[in-house]
Amino acid sequence: MAIKNYPILLLTVLISSVSLAFINYIQGYQHIMIYMSDYNESLQAEAILDRIYVNKDFNQIEHMEGNSVLHFISPYTFFLASIFWGSISFLMVKKTYHPFVFSRVKLQREALRIIRGPYILHVTLFVFIYVASIITFVFVNGELEFDDPGSIIKQFLFFIFASTLISLGLSSIMFYLYLKFQETIALLIVFILISVLFIMDLQLKKISVVFISGDAYFVGGMIVGICLMILSHLLLRNLKYKIA
């Protein structure tokens, strides 16, 4: 759907991305500073990223301090926010407006495209700014230095690509669920899908889907993202949407 004051919406996406990045950076930074103070140990800046993005080897990494549900707050809020911004266009419009759209176009596919609204730019902008902001905060702070800055930048470029694909796929699946059911059911199922991705990633030893591991290229994340995109495309293509 056409959105009034679209530049303001994009600015809101940007501000929310930087804000969430700062909040998650602060909690990761504080945890590492407390750990270093308590154990009188010096760490590299990568330790902060381990806390924010969750290193899957948390049981073997002392500064991760074992397995904890609190580890997953940062990545969970990140994916929830990226999916929200990918869904904001159709969530802002009541379903009572859908018959008006269908009355103006001949094909269901075209009507759904209009109802869906822009989403690729929203997700891509949010993900890129979020990751870039966290890396910038760590660099600017300067209290801890990266052991290999080049590798970190390369790794998170692949993370941006993988998480963008996953967020786009989940956002499109949420659009299907929104059309098929109600907003609350769609949100609940997406929450569950994010949790399933997290659990699945923790079971995979050699590839990364959403968390940090030895897979610097996030092959698993890109495969899952592409699969979600294909699945959402098939679901929407075969949807028989009945307007009220």
Side-chain angles (χ1 to χ4, degrees):
M1 304 296 298
I3 299 176
K4 296 180 180 179
N5 300 319
Y6 190 62
I8 295 178
L9 176 62
L10 291 180
L11 180 61
T12 305
V13 174
L14 190 152
I15 293 173
S16 68
S17 181
V18 175
S19 300
L20 181 61
F22 182 72
I23 292 170
N24 288 339
Y25 162 75
I26 289 298
Q27 66 86 17
Y29 173 79
Q30 289 179 340
H31 275 101
I32 294 303
M33 291 298 107
I34 293 172
Y35 175 87
M36 290 173 58
S37 175
D38 290 345
Y39 294 92
N40 193 25
E41 185 176 343
S42 180
L43 297 173
Q44 301 291 332
E46 283 85 350
I48 299 176
L49 301 182
D50 287 342
R51 294 293 306 219
I52 298 172
Y53 294 102
V54 183
N55 192 311
K56 290 200 293 184
D57 296 325
F58 43 71
N59 287 324
Q60 287 77 44
I61 300 176
E62 292 186 1
H63 61 258
M64 290 295 293
E65 300 181 284
N67 190 4
S68 172
V69 175
L70 297 178
H71 289 338
F72 305 101
I73 293 177
S74 292
Y76 213 98
T77 55
F78 163 67
F79 279 103
L80 281 179
S82 62
I83 294 167
F84 169 78
W85 286 119
S87 308
I88 189 66
S89 297
F90 63 84
L91 290 177
M92 288 175 62
V93 179
K94 294 183 178 180
K95 283 189 175 182
T96 52
Y97 190 72
H98 294 184
F100 172 75
V101 178
F102 275 83
S103 69
R104 296 173 63 89
V105 296
K106 295 181 179 180
L107 299 176
Q108 175 181 277
R109 180 176 59 185
E110 180 65 16
L112 292 182
R113 185 190 65 80
I114 296 172
I115 295 170
R116 179 74 169 92
Y119 65 102
I120 296 177
L121 178 59
H122 298 172
V123 172
T124 304
L125 179 65
F126 180 87
V127 171
F128 178 80
I129 296 300
Y130 175 87
V131 176
S133 296
I134 288 179
I135 298 295
T136 301
F137 292 147
V138 177
F139 268 112
V140 170
N141 182 287
E143 191 163 345
L144 300 180
E145 295 183 356
F146 284 105
D147 183 49
D148 189 353
S151 295
I152 290 296
I153 292 174
K154 180 183 72 173
Q155 180 181 26
F156 280 95
L157 285 175
F158 283 102
F159 173 80
I160 288 171
F161 187 49
S163 56
T164 298
L165 287 175
I166 291 172
S167 298
L168 288 172
L170 289 175
S171 176
S172 295
I173 289 175
M174 181 168 171
F175 180 53
Y176 168 80
L177 296 169
Y178 159 81
L179 295 173
K180 196 74 174 176
F181 306 106
Q182 296 295 329
E183 292 92 334
T184 52
I185 296 176
L187 286 168
L188 177 61
I189 295 176
V190 168
F191 292 159
I192 294 172
L193 288 175
I194 295 174
S195 300
V196 169
L197 285 180
F198 283 16
I199 294 170
M200 180 181 72
D201 196 9
L202 292 175
Q203 304 307 312
L204 300 173
K205 303 302 181 184
K206 295 184 178 180
I207 61 175
S208 292
V209 177
V210 294
F211 302 133
I212 299 174
S213 73
D215 176 19
Y217 299 100
F218 283 89
V219 174
M222 286 188 278
I223 293 174
V224 169
I226 292 171
C227 289
L228 289 172
M229 294 285 288
I230 294 173
L231 175 61
S232 64
H233 175 74
L234 293 174
L235 289 172
L236 289 169
R237 189 178 68 176
N238 296 311
L239 174 68
K240 304 300 182 183
Y241 182 51
K242 297 180 180 180
I243 57 176

